[in-house]
Amino acid sequence: MSTLGFIEYEKASAEVRAVYDDIMATRKTTQVTNFWKALAHDPIRLKRTWEDTKQIMSAGALDPLVKELVYVAVSVTNQCDYCIAAHTAAARKKGMTDAIFNELMAVVGLANQNNRLVAGHQVEIDDQFKAQG
Amino acid sequence: MSTLGFIEYEKASAEVRAVYDDIMATRKTTQVTNFWKALAHDPIRLKRTWEDTKQIMSAGALDPLVKELVYVAVSVTNQCDYCIAAHTAAARKKGMTDAIFNELMAVVGLANQNNRLVAGHQVEIDDQFKAQG
Amino acid sequence: MSTLGFIEYEKASAEVRAVYDDIMATRKTTQVTNFWKALAHDPIRLKRTWEDTKQIMSAGALDPLVKELVYVAVSVTNQCDYCIAAHTAAARKKGMTDAIFNELMAVVGLANQNNRLVAGHQVEIDDQFKAQG
Amino acid sequence: MSTLGFIEYEKASAEVRAVYDDIMATRKTTQVTNFWKALAHDPIRLKRTWEDTKQIMSAGALDPLVKELVYVAVSVTNQCDYCIAAHTAAARKKGMTDAIFNELMAVVGLANQNNRLVAGHQVEIDDQFKAQG
Amino acid sequence: MSTLGFIEYEKASAEVRAVYDDIMATRKTTQVTNFWKALAHDPIRLKRTWEDTKQIMSAGALDPLVKELVYVAVSVTNQCDYCIAAHTAAARKKGMTDAIFNELMAVVGLANQNNRLVAGHQVEIDDQFKAQG
Amino acid sequence: MSTLGFIEYEKASAEVRAVYDDIMATRKTTQVTNFWKALAHDPIRLKRTWEDTKQIMSAGALDPLVKELVYVAVSVTNQCDYCIAAHTAAARKKGMTDAIFNELMAVVGLANQNNRLVAGHQVEIDDQFKAQG
């Protein structure tokens, strides 16, 4: 289920299929997940969102596992159930062990706590931390 | 400035000084940052928060730089200016280059965008992603 | 289901029924939605919340469809599943097409992304944008 | 400063002055805070927001100090600097001691941490906690 | 269900059982809730999180009911369904009546509204509210 | 100020200048705002973010003013001060009057309030609103 429903491969336009094909090839899978099938009602946005995602999540100065961990951390902070489920699975595929998951959760929990303590105490930024750029 | 003001080392109780000493020794610095000086009005909470932070942020299955990146990602998602400033500096000290920073921001931005697209489209979780545990 | 349960029309006090009647008349429907039935345990709050909602969401300098789109955008940003479902339906009733929905989601996603990029880069407000009032 | 500027008492319409007078009488002060002066460009919204605030924050099943503490907790969780500053001051006026403030912050920090741990671990609601109503 | 599954008492290590025993003794119950069973894969974090929670939520300058109300307020603001369900039940056990619940919700709703009005109007902090510490 | 500093036109690479030129031409202005100058340290991301923004915010099924209003609504809900300032100015340039601004704020405040009331009351989605797609 989704607001506009899912566009399955068989019913997709050539434009949408080209994106689906690239998703499956890039991720080495035969399944397109619900997120992309929900976006496919707007083929331009589907293509743009996929290309951005592919480019941003690929290896660079940060390796793909670290990127997935960061993605999970953001999704947890935003309470996005779908994203937590999907990216926890993706992180595991890229090597996240249970030990890594547990440490990740600890850091996410701590940061969320300390973020609020700082706000609540109205703590002024230390001179040494002020952006100099 | 902070709600209750800062407790400086010279005016701190022995209990608070012991925490400050451990902070400086652990971080190899001669400065205690404003966050800890704001919490020091409640020495038990100061000690607990520091000990949790020290334990969680130290090396384990994840290395300390990755933990700092995750901390920054959460702080950005929560719009906590102080935390962003302090942990961007901490991440740099642990090896974050400009290239890593830029990629980190790209992932954080993307995840925030996609989190909302999922919510807005009311996308149902794929069977393959449902928690099995 | 809801924390205190729903108060159905048949069991409602005269005070609550008067609000329910106004909701149905204003919305040209024979159904009162779960939100109002959950609030009805506190008739004063029910009345206040409904009257505020009615006044704010009615036509003014902004037309009702635009108001619904803004409501959906906020609900998506807050990850409120109920609100997304209810106000997506309301927006459709007021004329939201699939094309409008897709563009709305694109803007909401973009704003959420750029909000975080700004925070993460600690971007100072341009002089030209500073509130002058 | 604010987007539309502040409407000072001397320049206010009779309608706005009536609200300002009620604010000052209710709060036993001779000052109207910036929040209300920013809203006063829309006298109907000013009146509605003030009357809602006055009604909600007055004594009832919860005493006014507890209500202020809850207000601060929400404002901290939303990272609203203005609101934290204003309602911390209001809570003090109603009897919040430093010890209460420190405990409040501890609870707010803890809840923010545990909220994320629950989301990150995708914890299913216990049967005993499911809404029965 | 949860990401790593639940660790039931019968299968738990001595270390985990010690925490479970303390949870049940402290809360005067024979059940350990899902949250703790999900965290138990990381016994050190389980112990730390429980001890922090126990210490923070116990009676002090604030009574335990007020602490639960604050916890609920934060959980509602973060849209954490599990936490709302669990802590609404906990608050009731500690004496929250329906009237208290309704007033709590009114304050939480109001604060969330006013937090955004302040941000949207870019309201500057009043001099009288600026942190002096 | 920003984390990495701003890249001014005179010091920018040809690649970055091309984006700056397109920004100024599209927006009919001679100034590039701080946001873009902060992103310019990563020319690929600068280009991608600008092209996405340009495409998404241009006229389509929704007119550019409505898109700006939605952008402001999201930024207010996320408490992003920079974004509120910049997009309030942009909305005004596109025709936002004070009356529209005041109504926009009213809707944003209301939605934020009602989102929390729904969550706090654990209101189940009405059958009529469930996604059918």
PDB file of all heavy atoms in Angstrom, chain E residues 37-70:
ATOM      1  N   LYS E  37      13.996  -6.257  26.734  1.00  0.00           N
ATOM      2  CA  LYS E  37      14.341  -7.533  26.082  1.00  0.00           C
ATOM      3  C   LYS E  37      15.015  -7.310  24.719  1.00  0.00           C
ATOM      4  O   LYS E  37      15.759  -8.156  24.242  1.00  0.00           O
ATOM      5  CB  LYS E  37      13.094  -8.405  25.945  1.00  0.00           C
ATOM      6  CG  LYS E  37      12.576  -8.887  27.319  1.00  0.00           C
ATOM      7  CD  LYS E  37      11.539  -9.977  27.225  1.00  0.00           C
ATOM      8  CE  LYS E  37      10.193  -9.451  26.779  1.00  0.00           C
ATOM      9  NZ  LYS E  37       9.103 -10.435  26.911  1.00  0.00           N
ATOM     10  N   ALA E  38      14.740  -6.159  24.120  1.00  0.00           N
ATOM     11  CA  ALA E  38      15.399  -5.827  22.850  1.00  0.00           C
ATOM     12  C   ALA E  38      16.825  -5.328  23.078  1.00  0.00           C
ATOM     13  O   ALA E  38      17.721  -5.573  22.264  1.00  0.00           O
ATOM     14  CB  ALA E  38      14.586  -4.765  22.100  1.00  0.00           C
ATOM     15  N   LEU E  39      17.029  -4.648  24.190  1.00  0.00           N
ATOM     16  CA  LEU E  39      18.369  -4.107  24.500  1.00  0.00           C
ATOM     17  C   LEU E  39      19.317  -5.178  25.032  1.00  0.00           C
ATOM     18  O   LEU E  39      20.536  -4.962  25.075  1.00  0.00           O
ATOM     19  CB  LEU E  39      18.268  -3.003  25.557  1.00  0.00           C
ATOM     20  CG  LEU E  39      17.623  -1.681  25.171  1.00  0.00           C
ATOM     21  CD1 LEU E  39      17.782  -0.683  26.316  1.00  0.00           C
ATOM     22  CD2 LEU E  39      18.231  -1.097  23.896  1.00  0.00           C
ATOM     23  N   ALA E  40      18.772  -6.314  25.456  1.00  0.00           N
ATOM     24  CA  ALA E  40      19.572  -7.280  26.209  1.00  0.00           C
ATOM     25  C   ALA E  40      20.663  -7.964  25.392  1.00  0.00           C
ATOM     26  O   ALA E  40      21.516  -8.667  25.962  1.00  0.00           O
ATOM     27  CB  ALA E  40      18.653  -8.315  26.859  1.00  0.00           C
ATOM     28  N   HIS E  41      20.665  -7.757  24.099  1.00  0.00           N
ATOM     29  CA  HIS E  41      21.744  -8.310  23.274  1.00  0.00           C
ATOM     30  C   HIS E  41      23.073  -7.633  23.583  1.00  0.00           C
ATOM     31  O   HIS E  41      24.130  -8.116  23.180  1.00  0.00           O
ATOM     32  CB  HIS E  41      21.414  -8.151  21.788  1.00  0.00           C
ATOM     33  CG  HIS E  41      20.246  -8.968  21.369  1.00  0.00           C
ATOM     34  ND1 HIS E  41      20.373 -10.237  20.875  1.00  0.00           N
ATOM     35  CD2 HIS E  41      18.908  -8.725  21.427  1.00  0.00           C
ATOM     36  CE1 HIS E  41      19.183 -10.739  20.622  1.00  0.00           C
ATOM     37  NE2 HIS E  41      18.272  -9.836  20.948  1.00  0.00           N
ATOM     38  N   ASP E  42      22.989  -6.501  24.220  1.00  0.00           N
ATOM     39  CA  ASP E  42      24.185  -5.736  24.601  1.00  0.00           C
ATOM     40  C   ASP E  42      24.077  -5.522  26.121  1.00  0.00           C
ATOM     41  O   ASP E  42      23.572  -4.496  26.583  1.00  0.00           O
ATOM     42  CB  ASP E  42      24.179  -4.400  23.843  1.00  0.00           C
ATOM     43  CG  ASP E  42      25.379  -3.524  24.147  1.00  0.00           C
ATOM     44  OD1 ASP E  42      26.151  -3.851  25.078  1.00  0.00           O
ATOM     45  OD2 ASP E  42      25.541  -2.499  23.459  1.00  0.00           O
ATOM     46  N   PRO E  43      24.533  -6.503  26.896  1.00  0.00           N
ATOM     47  CA  PRO E  43      24.286  -6.470  28.356  1.00  0.00           C
ATOM     48  C   PRO E  43      24.844  -5.224  29.045  1.00  0.00           C
ATOM     49  O   PRO E  43      24.230  -4.733  29.993  1.00  0.00           O
ATOM     50  CB  PRO E  43      25.000  -7.735  28.854  1.00  0.00           C
ATOM     51  CG  PRO E  43      25.056  -8.644  27.666  1.00  0.00           C
ATOM     52  CD  PRO E  43      25.217  -7.742  26.478  1.00  0.00           C
ATOM     53  N   ILE E  44      25.953  -4.704  28.557  1.00  0.00           N
ATOM     54  CA  ILE E  44      26.507  -3.500  29.191  1.00  0.00           C
ATOM     55  C   ILE E  44      25.566  -2.307  28.973  1.00  0.00           C
ATOM     56  O   ILE E  44      25.276  -1.543  29.886  1.00  0.00           O
ATOM     57  CB  ILE E  44      27.919  -3.200  28.636  1.00  0.00           C
ATOM     58  CG1 ILE E  44      28.885  -4.295  29.126  1.00  0.00           C
ATOM     59  CG2 ILE E  44      28.399  -1.816  29.074  1.00  0.00           C
ATOM     60  CD1 ILE E  44      30.251  -4.229  28.473  1.00  0.00           C
ATOM     61  N   ARG E  45      25.085  -2.173  27.745  1.00  0.00           N
ATOM     62  CA  ARG E  45      24.148  -1.081  27.469  1.00  0.00           C
ATOM     63  C   ARG E  45      22.826  -1.293  28.208  1.00  0.00           C
ATOM     64  O   ARG E  45      22.219  -0.345  28.707  1.00  0.00           O
ATOM     65  CB  ARG E  45      23.889  -0.953  25.962  1.00  0.00           C
ATOM     66  CG  ARG E  45      22.972   0.201  25.615  1.00  0.00           C
ATOM     67  CD  ARG E  45      23.123   0.655  24.179  1.00  0.00           C
ATOM     68  NE  ARG E  45      22.902  -0.420  23.258  1.00  0.00           N
ATOM     69  CZ  ARG E  45      21.838  -0.530  22.438  1.00  0.00           C
ATOM     70  NH1 ARG E  45      20.935   0.425  22.407  1.00  0.00           N
ATOM     71  NH2 ARG E  45      21.707  -1.537  21.624  1.00  0.00           N
ATOM     72  N   LEU E  46      22.366  -2.520  28.282  1.00  0.00           N
ATOM     73  CA  LEU E  46      21.145  -2.823  29.030  1.00  0.00           C
ATOM     74  C   LEU E  46      21.274  -2.334  30.467  1.00  0.00           C
ATOM     75  O   LEU E  46      20.408  -1.626  30.990  1.00  0.00           O
ATOM     76  CB  LEU E  46      20.896  -4.340  29.031  1.00  0.00           C
ATOM     77  CG  LEU E  46      19.734  -4.799  29.928  1.00  0.00           C
ATOM     78  CD1 LEU E  46      18.395  -4.376  29.351  1.00  0.00           C
ATOM     79  CD2 LEU E  46      19.769  -6.324  30.141  1.00  0.00           C
ATOM     80  N   LYS E  47      22.376  -2.719  31.081  1.00  0.00           N
ATOM     81  CA  LYS E  47      22.608  -2.360  32.490  1.00  0.00           C
ATOM     82  C   LYS E  47      22.697  -0.840  32.654  1.00  0.00           C
ATOM     83  O   LYS E  47      22.067  -0.247  33.524  1.00  0.00           O
ATOM     84  CB  LYS E  47      23.912  -3.019  32.962  1.00  0.00           C
ATOM     85  CG  LYS E  47      24.196  -2.916  34.442  1.00  0.00           C
ATOM     86  CD  LYS E  47      25.394  -3.823  34.799  1.00  0.00           C
ATOM     87  CE  LYS E  47      25.566  -3.981  36.301  1.00  0.00           C
ATOM     88  NZ  LYS E  47      25.903  -2.762  37.018  1.00  0.00           N
ATOM     89  N   ARG E  48      23.459  -0.187  31.781  1.00  0.00           N
ATOM     90  CA  ARG E  48      23.631   1.267  31.889  1.00  0.00           C
ATOM     91  C   ARG E  48      22.304   1.986  31.657  1.00  0.00           C
ATOM     92  O   ARG E  48      21.947   2.901  32.399  1.00  0.00           O
ATOM     93  CB  ARG E  48      24.658   1.724  30.839  1.00  0.00           C
ATOM     94  CG  ARG E  48      25.013   3.179  30.936  1.00  0.00           C
ATOM     95  CD  ARG E  48      26.021   3.550  29.858  1.00  0.00           C
ATOM     96  NE  ARG E  48      25.468   3.358  28.532  1.00  0.00           N
ATOM     97  CZ  ARG E  48      26.069   2.720  27.539  1.00  0.00           C
ATOM     98  NH1 ARG E  48      27.279   2.219  27.689  1.00  0.00           N
ATOM     99  NH2 ARG E  48      25.483   2.585  26.366  1.00  0.00           N
ATOM    100  N   THR E  49      21.565   1.563  30.639  1.00  0.00           N
ATOM    101  CA  THR E  49      20.306   2.235  30.324  1.00  0.00           C
ATOM    102  C   THR E  49      19.298   2.044  31.453  1.00  0.00           C
ATOM    103  O   THR E  49      18.583   2.975  31.835  1.00  0.00           O
ATOM    104  CB  THR E  49      19.730   1.704  28.987  1.00  0.00           C
ATOM    105  OG1 THR E  49      20.752   1.793  27.985  1.00  0.00           O
ATOM    106  CG2 THR E  49      18.524   2.515  28.549  1.00  0.00           C
ATOM    107  N   TRP E  50      19.259   0.830  31.994  1.00  0.00           N
ATOM    108  CA  TRP E  50      18.338   0.585  33.100  1.00  0.00           C
ATOM    109  C   TRP E  50      18.725   1.379  34.339  1.00  0.00           C
ATOM    110  O   TRP E  50      17.881   2.012  34.978  1.00  0.00           O
ATOM    111  CB  TRP E  50      18.275  -0.913  33.447  1.00  0.00           C
ATOM    112  CG  TRP E  50      17.666  -1.142  34.791  1.00  0.00           C
ATOM    113  CD1 TRP E  50      18.273  -1.641  35.899  1.00  0.00           C
ATOM    114  CD2 TRP E  50      16.324  -0.787  35.204  1.00  0.00           C
ATOM    115  NE1 TRP E  50      17.407  -1.645  36.968  1.00  0.00           N
ATOM    116  CE2 TRP E  50      16.201  -1.126  36.576  1.00  0.00           C
ATOM    117  CE3 TRP E  50      15.225  -0.218  34.551  1.00  0.00           C
ATOM    118  CZ2 TRP E  50      15.027  -0.922  37.291  1.00  0.00           C
ATOM    119  CZ3 TRP E  50      14.057  -0.001  35.271  1.00  0.00           C
ATOM    120  CH2 TRP E  50      13.957  -0.354  36.618  1.00  0.00           C
ATOM    121  N   GLU E  51      20.003   1.381  34.657  1.00  0.00           N
ATOM    122  CA  GLU E  51      20.422   2.108  35.871  1.00  0.00           C
ATOM    123  C   GLU E  51      20.199   3.608  35.731  1.00  0.00           C
ATOM    124  O   GLU E  51      19.774   4.265  36.681  1.00  0.00           O
ATOM    125  CB  GLU E  51      21.873   1.764  36.219  1.00  0.00           C
ATOM    126  CG  GLU E  51      21.957   0.335  36.769  1.00  0.00           C
ATOM    127  CD  GLU E  51      23.358  -0.120  37.142  1.00  0.00           C
ATOM    128  OE1 GLU E  51      24.315   0.631  36.866  1.00  0.00           O
ATOM    129  OE2 GLU E  51      23.473  -1.221  37.696  1.00  0.00           O
ATOM    130  N   ASP E  52      20.466   4.142  34.550  1.00  0.00           N
ATOM    131  CA  ASP E  52      20.171   5.556  34.317  1.00  0.00           C
ATOM    132  C   ASP E  52      18.666   5.810  34.475  1.00  0.00           C
ATOM    133  O   ASP E  52      18.246   6.768  35.129  1.00  0.00           O
ATOM    134  CB  ASP E  52      20.586   5.968  32.890  1.00  0.00           C
ATOM    135  CG  ASP E  52      22.098   6.067  32.724  1.00  0.00           C
ATOM    136  OD1 ASP E  52      22.842   5.833  33.699  1.00  0.00           O
ATOM    137  OD2 ASP E  52      22.554   6.355  31.600  1.00  0.00           O
ATOM    138  N   THR E  53      17.868   4.968  33.851  1.00  0.00           N
ATOM    139  CA  THR E  53      16.417   5.147  33.884  1.00  0.00           C
ATOM    140  C   THR E  53      15.893   5.063  35.312  1.00  0.00           C
ATOM    141  O   THR E  53      15.083   5.901  35.748  1.00  0.00           O
ATOM    142  CB  THR E  53      15.732   4.079  32.994  1.00  0.00           C
ATOM    143  OG1 THR E  53      16.219   4.221  31.662  1.00  0.00           O
ATOM    144  CG2 THR E  53      14.216   4.219  33.011  1.00  0.00           C
ATOM    145  N   LYS E  54      16.365   4.077  36.030  1.00  0.00           N
ATOM    146  CA  LYS E  54      15.919   3.890  37.417  1.00  0.00           C
ATOM    147  C   LYS E  54      16.259   5.115  38.274  1.00  0.00           C
ATOM    148  O   LYS E  54      15.426   5.637  39.014  1.00  0.00           O
ATOM    149  CB  LYS E  54      16.619   2.652  37.980  1.00  0.00           C
ATOM    150  CG  LYS E  54      16.225   2.277  39.396  1.00  0.00           C
ATOM    151  CD  LYS E  54      17.045   1.057  39.834  1.00  0.00           C
ATOM    152  CE  LYS E  54      16.824   0.724  41.302  1.00  0.00           C
ATOM    153  NZ  LYS E  54      17.690  -0.435  41.696  1.00  0.00           N
ATOM    154  N   GLN E  55      17.487   5.567  38.133  1.00  0.00           N
ATOM    155  CA  GLN E  55      17.949   6.720  38.918  1.00  0.00           C
ATOM    156  C   GLN E  55      17.172   7.992  38.543  1.00  0.00           C
ATOM    157  O   GLN E  55      16.694   8.720  39.411  1.00  0.00           O
ATOM    158  CB  GLN E  55      19.448   6.921  38.666  1.00  0.00           C
ATOM    159  CG  GLN E  55      20.099   8.004  39.510  1.00  0.00           C
ATOM    160  CD  GLN E  55      21.587   8.145  39.208  1.00  0.00           C
ATOM    161  OE1 GLN E  55      22.017   8.007  38.064  1.00  0.00           O
ATOM    162  NE2 GLN E  55      22.371   8.426  40.238  1.00  0.00           N
ATOM    163  N   ILE E  56      17.030   8.219  37.264  1.00  0.00           N
ATOM    164  CA  ILE E  56      16.412   9.465  36.796  1.00  0.00           C
ATOM    165  C   ILE E  56      14.915   9.518  37.102  1.00  0.00           C
ATOM    166  O   ILE E  56      14.382  10.570  37.452  1.00  0.00           O
ATOM    167  CB  ILE E  56      16.658   9.650  35.276  1.00  0.00           C
ATOM    168  CG1 ILE E  56      18.152   9.907  35.022  1.00  0.00           C
ATOM    169  CG2 ILE E  56      15.804  10.775  34.706  1.00  0.00           C
ATOM    170  CD1 ILE E  56      18.564   9.841  33.562  1.00  0.00           C
ATOM    171  N   MET E  57      14.240   8.385  36.971  1.00  0.00           N
ATOM    172  CA  MET E  57      12.778   8.389  37.114  1.00  0.00           C
ATOM    173  C   MET E  57      12.302   8.226  38.565  1.00  0.00           C
ATOM    174  O   MET E  57      11.101   8.323  38.832  1.00  0.00           O
ATOM    175  CB  MET E  57      12.152   7.299  36.241  1.00  0.00           C
ATOM    176  CG  MET E  57      12.411   7.470  34.755  1.00  0.00           C
ATOM    177  SD  MET E  57      11.834   9.065  34.064  1.00  0.00           S
ATOM    178  CE  MET E  57      10.045   8.793  33.993  1.00  0.00           C
ATOM    179  N   SER E  58      13.207   8.001  39.475  1.00  0.00           N
ATOM    180  CA  SER E  58      12.791   7.819  40.871  1.00  0.00           C
ATOM    181  C   SER E  58      12.495   9.173  41.525  1.00  0.00           C
ATOM    182  O   SER E  58      12.806  10.233  40.982  1.00  0.00           O
ATOM    183  CB  SER E  58      13.880   7.085  41.643  1.00  0.00           C
ATOM    184  OG  SER E  58      15.032   7.887  41.693  1.00  0.00           O
ATOM    185  N   ALA E  59      11.887   9.128  42.696  1.00  0.00           N
ATOM    186  CA  ALA E  59      11.495  10.354  43.396  1.00  0.00           C
ATOM    187  C   ALA E  59      12.706  11.209  43.740  1.00  0.00           C
ATOM    188  O   ALA E  59      13.767  10.692  44.085  1.00  0.00           O
ATOM    189  CB  ALA E  59      10.734  10.002  44.666  1.00  0.00           C
ATOM    190  N   GLY E  60      12.526  12.516  43.645  1.00  0.00           N
ATOM    191  CA  GLY E  60      13.596  13.464  43.968  1.00  0.00           C
ATOM    192  C   GLY E  60      12.929  14.804  44.214  1.00  0.00           C
ATOM    193  O   GLY E  60      11.934  14.882  44.942  1.00  0.00           O
ATOM    194  N   ALA E  61      13.449  15.849  43.590  1.00  0.00           N
ATOM    195  CA  ALA E  61      12.796  17.151  43.690  1.00  0.00           C
ATOM    196  C   ALA E  61      11.454  17.120  42.948  1.00  0.00           C
ATOM    197  O   ALA E  61      10.555  17.903  43.246  1.00  0.00           O
ATOM    198  CB  ALA E  61      13.706  18.231  43.124  1.00  0.00           C
ATOM    199  N   LEU E  62      11.357  16.241  41.968  1.00  0.00           N
ATOM    200  CA  LEU E  62      10.098  16.037  41.250  1.00  0.00           C
ATOM    201  C   LEU E  62       9.543  14.674  41.621  1.00  0.00           C
ATOM    202  O   LEU E  62      10.293  13.709  41.735  1.00  0.00           O
ATOM    203  CB  LEU E  62      10.335  16.061  39.734  1.00  0.00           C
ATOM    204  CG  LEU E  62      10.559  17.417  39.097  1.00  0.00           C
ATOM    205  CD1 LEU E  62      10.958  17.242  37.639  1.00  0.00           C
ATOM    206  CD2 LEU E  62       9.300  18.275  39.185  1.00  0.00           C
ATOM    207  N   ASP E  63       8.222  14.579  41.735  1.00  0.00           N
ATOM    208  CA  ASP E  63       7.697  13.259  42.076  1.00  0.00           C
ATOM    209  C   ASP E  63       7.578  12.391  40.825  1.00  0.00           C
ATOM    210  O   ASP E  63       7.534  12.893  39.697  1.00  0.00           O
ATOM    211  CB  ASP E  63       6.386  13.369  42.863  1.00  0.00           C
ATOM    212  CG  ASP E  63       5.234  13.833  42.026  1.00  0.00           C
ATOM    213  OD1 ASP E  63       4.774  13.047  41.184  1.00  0.00           O
ATOM    214  OD2 ASP E  63       4.809  14.988  42.197  1.00  0.00           O
ATOM    215  N   PRO E  64       7.550  11.081  41.002  1.00  0.00           N
ATOM    216  CA  PRO E  64       7.556  10.157  39.862  1.00  0.00           C
ATOM    217  C   PRO E  64       6.417  10.377  38.869  1.00  0.00           C
ATOM    218  O   PRO E  64       6.614  10.176  37.668  1.00  0.00           O
ATOM    219  CB  PRO E  64       7.472   8.783  40.539  1.00  0.00           C
ATOM    220  CG  PRO E  64       8.133   8.990  41.863  1.00  0.00           C
ATOM    221  CD  PRO E  64       7.701  10.366  42.283  1.00  0.00           C
ATOM    222  N   LEU E  65       5.252  10.804  39.323  1.00  0.00           N
ATOM    223  CA  LEU E  65       4.167  11.032  38.363  1.00  0.00           C
ATOM    224  C   LEU E  65       4.518  12.181  37.422  1.00  0.00           C
ATOM    225  O   LEU E  65       4.329  12.074  36.202  1.00  0.00           O
ATOM    226  CB  LEU E  65       2.837  11.332  39.084  1.00  0.00           C
ATOM    227  CG  LEU E  65       1.691  11.762  38.153  1.00  0.00           C
ATOM    228  CD1 LEU E  65       1.411  10.719  37.074  1.00  0.00           C
ATOM    229  CD2 LEU E  65       0.416  12.038  38.954  1.00  0.00           C
ATOM    230  N   VAL E  66       5.024  13.267  37.979  1.00  0.00           N
ATOM    231  CA  VAL E  66       5.387  14.403  37.122  1.00  0.00           C
ATOM    232  C   VAL E  66       6.460  13.974  36.119  1.00  0.00           C
ATOM    233  O   VAL E  66       6.420  14.350  34.942  1.00  0.00           O
ATOM    234  CB  VAL E  66       5.868  15.605  37.965  1.00  0.00           C
ATOM    235  CG1 VAL E  66       6.426  16.708  37.072  1.00  0.00           C
ATOM    236  CG2 VAL E  66       4.711  16.146  38.805  1.00  0.00           C
ATOM    237  N   LYS E  67       7.390  13.163  36.566  1.00  0.00           N
ATOM    238  CA  LYS E  67       8.423  12.677  35.644  1.00  0.00           C
ATOM    239  C   LYS E  67       7.812  11.856  34.504  1.00  0.00           C
ATOM    240  O   LYS E  67       8.230  11.979  33.349  1.00  0.00           O
ATOM    241  CB  LYS E  67       9.466  11.873  36.413  1.00  0.00           C
ATOM    242  CG  LYS E  67      10.326  12.755  37.312  1.00  0.00           C
ATOM    243  CD  LYS E  67      11.414  11.974  38.036  1.00  0.00           C
ATOM    244  CE  LYS E  67      12.329  12.947  38.793  1.00  0.00           C
ATOM    245  NZ  LYS E  67      13.450  12.249  39.456  1.00  0.00           N
ATOM    246  N   GLU E  68       6.846  11.037  34.830  1.00  0.00           N
ATOM    247  CA  GLU E  68       6.186  10.255  33.767  1.00  0.00           C
ATOM    248  C   GLU E  68       5.456  11.175  32.790  1.00  0.00           C
ATOM    249  O   GLU E  68       5.436  10.936  31.584  1.00  0.00           O
ATOM    250  CB  GLU E  68       5.197   9.242  34.360  1.00  0.00           C
ATOM    251  CG  GLU E  68       5.811   8.001  34.941  1.00  0.00           C
ATOM    252  CD  GLU E  68       6.560   7.119  33.936  1.00  0.00           C
ATOM    253  OE1 GLU E  68       6.322   7.229  32.708  1.00  0.00           O
ATOM    254  OE2 GLU E  68       7.396   6.319  34.385  1.00  0.00           O
ATOM    255  N   LEU E  69       4.817  12.213  33.316  1.00  0.00           N
ATOM    256  CA  LEU E  69       4.096  13.146  32.442  1.00  0.00           C
ATOM    257  C   LEU E  69       5.066  13.833  31.484  1.00  0.00           C
ATOM    258  O   LEU E  69       4.777  14.010  30.300  1.00  0.00           O
ATOM    259  CB  LEU E  69       3.336  14.186  33.273  1.00  0.00           C
ATOM    260  CG  LEU E  69       2.270  13.642  34.225  1.00  0.00           C
ATOM    261  CD1 LEU E  69       1.622  14.800  34.998  1.00  0.00           C
ATOM    262  CD2 LEU E  69       1.202  12.839  33.495  1.00  0.00           C
ATOM    263  N   VAL E  70       6.213  14.220  32.006  1.00  0.00           N
ATOM    264  CA  VAL E  70       7.233  14.847  31.161  1.00  0.00           C
ATOM    265  C   VAL E  70       7.723  13.845  30.117  1.00  0.00           C
ATOM    266  O   VAL E  70       7.899  14.181  28.935  1.00  0.00           O
ATOM    267  CB  VAL E  70       8.405  15.360  32.024  1.00  0.00           C
ATOM    268  CG1 VAL E  70       9.598  15.741  31.163  1.00  0.00           C
ATOM    269  CG2 VAL E  70       7.956  16.533  32.895  1.00  0.00           C
TER     270      VAL E  70
END
